Amino acid sequence: MTEDVRVRFAPSPTGFLHIGGVRTALFNWLFARHHGGKFILRIEDTDRDRSTEESIEEIMESMNWLGLDWDEGPHRQMERRDLYDKNIEKLLNTGHAYHCYCSPETLKQKREAAQANKQNPRYDGTCRNRTDAPKDTPSVVRFKSAHEGTVTVRPPARQGALGPGGNGRHHSATKRRHADLQFCRRGGRQ
């Protein structure tokens, strides 16, 4: 297990490093050191509006002050933007994802209506089967999730990647539909 252990800490550089982030970094660092593995620092700089270089520097200074050294990085999430864009297009082209043009205000109203009806707020799929693309309307990208049945997630084939049944698969059965989760924000931010 020793060289197979690779853990990461991925803070968002939108402000100071907070105690919850320090806790996560400490646990991952201790786990990596205990098992002779790698501790990776990845900067989650996908929020282009709020991420700052000053915050990145502050995070690295705080990590150094705490004695939490990293073996790889700091990697910046947006350095892989081309790879993400390519795979987003693949998901869109194969029908596994779609553009959602609902405004933040519309989504807020939907959430509030669901809560008023004592329902869990979840995206209702308004744009799921939409074929037109409104001009000059920003969109997010959502997964086109299964609405019923069993969702099977297969982790990469490697030693130690075994799910609940010990066979490397994790099954999640459902009688209600899964939400179409958003994974790419307005303006193409992941």
Side-chain angles (χ1 to χ4, degrees), residues 3-7 154-163 166-169:
E3 70 261 0
D4 291 340
V5 171
R6 292 176 55 83
V7 294
R154 290 183 179 89
R158 65 177 194 267
Q159 185 178 359
L162 301 180
N167 61 2
R169 294 186 182 129

Side-chain angles (χ1 to χ4, degrees), residues 7 20 26 46-47 51 55 60-61 95 98 107 110 129 132 148 164 170 181-182:
V7 294
L26 177 61
T46 56
D47 187 340
S51 295
S55 293
M60 292 176 18
E61 286 175 15
Y98 62 94
L107 294 172
K110 290 174 184 281
N129 297 311
D132 65 320
E148 57 188 37
H170 176 74
L181 300 175
Q182 170 187 317

Side-chain angles (χ1 to χ4, degrees), residues 8 10 35 64 81 99 106 125 138 164:
R8 65 155 171 81
H35 291 288
N64 285 326
R81 176 67 190 262
H99 286 281
T106 299

